[in-house]
Amino acid sequence: MTSNYRRPATTAVAETVVKNSRFIAVVDIMKQPEDLHQLSDRAMQQWPKASHYCTASILGSPQQGTFSCNDDGEPSGTAGRPMLTVLQNAPLGDVAAVVVRYFGGVKLGTGGLQRAYGQAVAAALEKLPTELVVYRESFELDYPYHLQGAIEPLWQQFDVRVSDSQFTEQVHQRIELIPDELAPLQERLDAVSQGQLKLRKC
């Protein structure tokens, strides 16, 4: 089952140096795939002429999200994969990371690269403020206008988020609900409507 998870609240940047190579890690929130490309583009503009711009990302929850990583010319599996592993172990969701490398003239070897890229992301995570994402499910409800005054206070009481409202012959709303609140909320809806109103899963 999908659960709550933490994600970046803002951007964090950290730099580490390994045998004269600079590793600059940037970690930020990712709400859509384009966010990773934008973060990478900003890194290229801020740190031009670097040797590599490697990336890793998790879109969605750390358990069930969409994962990606890119070595950007480093030996396969030495950059993006260890970066992603650090993000998964955090664990964080909705997160994108870019590590910019300026080659220092000394080859680090496969193991050295894996450690360096992983440590770069870990250093950025130490500075990263996070926020909690509370898992919610979508439901729909139609109700007559004369019940609006009784129903709308329930949304606040049960921490319901209204994502869409349409006002035609009845009020039609789509709501985002914490699953544990479903049963007690439905009981209250039954009480104010004599059992006529039922939440429908979207």
Side-chain angles (χ1 to χ4, degrees), residues 12-86:
V13 181
E15 179 173 342
T16 56
V17 178
V18 181
K19 294 183 179 179
N20 297 325
S21 281
R22 296 172 61 201
F23 294 85
I24 305 164
V26 186
V27 179
D28 205 350
I29 191 170
M30 178 181 179
K31 295 182 178 179
Q32 55 189 358
E34 291 77 14
D35 292 344
L36 177 61
H37 302 305
Q38 292 175 5
L39 184 64
S40 184
D41 288 344
R42 293 201 306 270
M44 290 179 184
Q45 293 171 7
Q46 189 166 356
W47 295 283
K49 300 181 181 179
S51 307
H52 305 278
Y53 302 87
C54 305
T55 62
S57 67
I58 302 172
L59 182 59
S61 75
Q63 297 84 19
Q64 300 177 336
T66 301
F67 311 105
S68 73
C69 57
N70 189 303
D71 295 315
D72 191 36
E74 294 281 31
S76 178
T78 62
R81 175 56 60 182
M83 290 168 59
L84 180 59
T85 298
V86 172

Side-chain angles (χ1 to χ4, degrees), residues 89-111:
N89 289 340
L92 287 173
D94 298 335
V95 59
V98 177
V99 174
V100 179
R101 182 192 182 192
Y102 284 91
F103 180 54
V106 179
K107 292 186 177 180
L108 302 182
T110 299

Side-chain angles (χ1 to χ4, degrees), residues 136-144 151 155 160-161 163-166 168 170-177 182-183 185-187 189-190 193 195-202:
R136 295 171 184 268
E137 294 181 345
S138 297
F139 293 86
E140 291 182 322
L141 183 69
D142 296 295
Y143 57 88
I151 289 175
W155 294 166
V160 170
R161 295 179 180 174
S163 57
D164 184 56
S165 296
Q166 298 177 19
T168 53
Q170 296 192 94
V171 180
H172 173 81
Q173 290 186 314
R174 175 172 290 193
I175 64 172
E176 308 295 326
L177 177 64
L182 174 59
L185 175 58
Q186 184 60 65
E187 288 181 6
L189 290 172
D190 289 342
S193 69
Q196 296 300 305
L197 300 182
K198 300 296 180 184
L199 289 164
R200 304 186 304 275
K201 186 80 163 60
C202 294

Side-chain angles (χ1 to χ4, degrees), residues 113-167:
L113 285 173
Q114 291 173 337
R115 287 189 296 273
Y117 277 100
Q119 290 168 358
V121 174
L125 293 186
E126 290 180 359
K127 301 181 177 181
L128 181 71
T130 63
E131 61 186 15
L132 182 65
V133 179
V134 178
Y135 174 67
R136 295 171 184 268
E137 294 181 345
S138 297
F139 293 86
E140 291 182 322
L141 183 69
D142 296 295
Y143 57 88
Y145 284 94
H146 73 269
L147 290 180
Q148 193 169 5
I151 289 175
E152 289 192 343
L154 297 179
W155 294 166
Q156 183 173 1
Q157 180 181 345
F158 289 95
D159 193 19
V160 170
R161 295 179 180 174
V162 178
S163 57
D164 184 56
S165 296
Q166 298 177 19
F167 302 95

